[in-house]
Amino acid sequence: MNTKEMKEIYDRYVIPNYIRNPILLVKGSGADIWDAEGKRYLDLFSGWAVSLLGHCHPNVVAAIQNQAAKLQHAPNIYYTEPQGLLAKHISEKSFGGQCFFCNSGAEANEAAIKLARIHNSDKGRYKIVTFLNSFHGRTLATVTATAQPKYHKGFAPLVEGFSYVPFNDLEALRKSVDDKTCAILLEPIQGEGGINIATKEFMQGIRKLCDEKGLLMILDEVQCGMGRSGKYFAYQHYDIEPDIMTLAKALGGGVALGAMTARKEIAKSLVPGSHASTFGGNPLACAAGVAVFETIEKEGLLSHVTTMGGYAADQLKALQKTRKIIHDVRGVGLMIGIELAVNGAEFIKRCIQAGLFLNCTHEKVIRFMPPLNVKKEHIDEGLNIINTVLSKL
């Protein structure tokens, strides 16, 4: 079946809530992905940072194949080895918490919001503060937590109890907290918001404020976690620990998988019957998650991210000196934003035509998020395409 034939099926049977490029993707390997007509694309976006190890990493493929032949689903009223081992990996690589598993970042953040509220329910605290340009998901509660009015349009009334303050503004945050506030929720590096990086003073100030006021610090590491920053989790750059952390996207190496981890004394508030997920923590997805952690370790990918991220950022900043259309280059590890002086839609369109997958967010910020095992030649190939496209804008 070719792209035209599949597009006709989509036009007839699939709800058009996405703006789709006319490309039928059929297979991928590493940083490469091919369409039905045999054209190869270099993927330096990784599908919103999902394909952490590139497409179809052999370790993840083997883990899925092996688990699929043994046990694909089991109710969460029983134990399974992959779920237990994945929880052990997350806990030991972070702050020693306990995990709840789900299927996406939105579900993970929904669970974190519910945990924060039920943990504080006997005190009458329910309000949560989030930050402008954040993105926490598209369920009704998480879209309310997302402090961007464009995502709220048409969905009123929203969930009660959320307030928003400017990112990296500690004084505004202090003023927004009252005796009904139970938690502060933020991304250490805002992804959809334009690759905005929290300052160390801000993160440590939030930790101190939470300790003073008895609030929970919830970190959304759905996009910036799992090694993308050069450490397992972005908060580890700030010498603090959160009370609750959410993960998804890269956690399953391409398989739908989300998780929330919380300090044990907080996690115990989520008693049986208070929250659940039928497919959350299923053996198939968790086996993939275990393979992701094991591969990061075996291939030494955290140090590789730091090296390749530094190289890519240096090259992009050098390009900025010759291409004035680049307004800014910022990021941590392999989570890099290239802010243009113009709308980036045409740039992305031409990159795709030239065989390069990137993404534009907030109209002008190009997200450069290759797989963690990206090679220098991939980065060089991508930079050559970027330079060529920019020269013709």
Side-chain angles (χ1 to χ4, degrees):
M1 194 166 283
N2 61 33
T3 300
K4 182 176 180 296
E5 291 166 337
M6 185 51 67
K7 185 177 182 305
E8 288 172 355
I9 290 177
Y10 267 62
D11 289 344
R12 185 168 182 179
Y13 297 110
V14 179
I15 292 175
N17 60 316
Y18 298 99
I19 299 173
R20 296 181 191 272
N21 293 289
I23 298 171
L24 173 57
L25 298 174
V26 293
K27 67 176 182 179
S29 177
D32 297 328
I33 192 165
W34 287 267
D35 69 16
E37 284 70 37
K39 181 175 179 177
R40 173 245 182 196
Y41 299 85
L42 175 63
D43 187 358
L44 298 186
F45 179 52
S46 306
W48 278 270
V50 167
S51 302
L52 188 79
L53 305 177
H55 295 281
C56 301
H57 191 288
N59 294 354
V60 178
V61 171
I64 294 171
Q65 289 176 332
N66 291 338
Q67 187 61 45
K70 291 195 295 186
L71 182 66
Q72 297 174 17
H73 177 71
N76 274 312
I77 55 173
Y78 302 100
Y79 298 99
T80 66
E81 184 173 302
Q83 185 177 140
L85 293 179
L86 181 57
K88 185 171 185 285
H89 274 295
I90 294 172
S91 181
E92 291 182 349
K93 299 296 188 301
S94 59
F95 50 91
Q98 291 180 308
C99 297
F100 165 81
F101 289 102
C102 49
N103 309 286
S104 70
E107 288 181 62
N109 285 326
E110 187 86 19
I113 290 166
K114 290 181 71 176
L115 175 56
R117 286 190 168 186
I118 197 171
H119 184 69
N120 286 279
S121 58
D122 61 341
K123 306 181 191 75
R125 291 178 163 189
Y126 64 97
K127 293 183 178 178
I128 297 175
V129 184
T130 67
F131 297 88
L132 299 181
N133 293 321
S134 60
F135 186 88
H136 300 294
R138 294 183 187 266
T139 64
L140 201 52
T142 58
V143 84
T144 306
T146 295
Q148 297 191 55
K150 66 182 179 182
Y151 292 121
H152 299 165
K153 190 177 180 181
F155 296 113
L158 299 175
V159 177
E160 183 185 358
F162 288 87
S163 60
Y164 317 121
V165 297
F167 195 58
N168 277 330
D169 189 336
L170 198 55
E171 189 55 35
L173 175 60
R174 287 184 182 279
K175 290 178 180 176
S176 73
V177 171
D178 62 24
D179 60 0
K180 298 295 184 185
T181 304
C182 69
I184 297 168
L185 165 62
L186 77 156
E187 307 150 89
I189 306 170
Q190 291 184 334
E192 196 276 346
I195 313 295
N196 304 314
I197 305 159
T199 65
K200 195 163 190 173
E201 178 187 19
F202 185 57
M203 291 288 280
Q204 293 185 344
I206 293 175
R207 181 68 271 175
K208 185 179 179 184
L209 179 63
C210 286
D211 292 341
E212 289 174 354
K213 301 287 186 181
L215 311 177
L216 298 180
M217 184 177 188
I218 306 172
L219 294 185
D220 176 343
E221 297 230 8
V222 167
Q223 191 168 133
C224 62
M226 293 303 296
R228 181 148 295 281
S229 71
K231 294 184 182 291
Y232 263 110
F233 306 106
Y235 80 81
Q236 292 167 334
H237 290 277
Y238 295 93
D239 299 324
I240 55 106
E241 288 185 347
D243 300 300
I244 302 172
M245 178 175 71
T246 57
L247 302 170
K249 292 197 186 300
L251 182 59
V255 177
L257 177 60
M260 172 191 69
T261 184
R263 290 195 289 115
K264 290 180 182 178
E265 60 270 31
I266 298 164
K268 66 183 180 183
S269 294
L270 216 55
V271 297
S274 61
H275 195 56
S277 171
T278 298
F279 291 102
N282 71 82
L284 203 61
C286 287
V290 170
V292 168
F293 272 102
E294 290 176 347
T295 302
I296 290 173
E297 290 295 316
K298 287 177 182 174
E299 299 186 4
L301 292 181
L302 296 182
S303 60
H304 183 73
V305 166
T306 300
T307 302
M308 288 296 102
Y311 175 74
D314 287 345
Q315 295 300 306
L316 285 166
K317 287 175 181 175
L319 186 60
Q320 181 185 8
K321 293 177 181 176
T322 60
R323 300 294 178 198
K324 299 304 179 187
I325 197 171
I326 298 178
H327 176 70
D328 189 26
V329 175
R330 55 182 179 268
V332 181
L334 285 172
M335 189 169 181
I336 299 173
I338 309 161
E339 184 170 347
L340 302 181
V342 300
N343 188 297
E346 182 63 23
F347 171 79
I348 292 297
K349 180 182 176 183
R350 295 191 190 187
C351 281
I352 293 173
Q353 290 171 344
L356 174 63
F357 282 0
L358 292 171
N359 165 266
C360 180
T361 188
H362 271 240
E363 297 187 352
K364 296 180 178 180
V365 181
I366 308 304
R367 275 188 284 190
F368 184 96
M369 300 191 296
L372 303 197
N373 51 5
V374 68
K375 298 176 181 176
K376 181 175 175 291
E377 51 262 41
H378 292 137
I379 292 175
D380 289 340
E381 180 185 355
L383 290 170
N384 284 336
I385 295 174
I386 290 170
N387 187 31
T388 300
V389 171
L390 288 177
S391 71
K392 297 176 181 177
L393 283 180

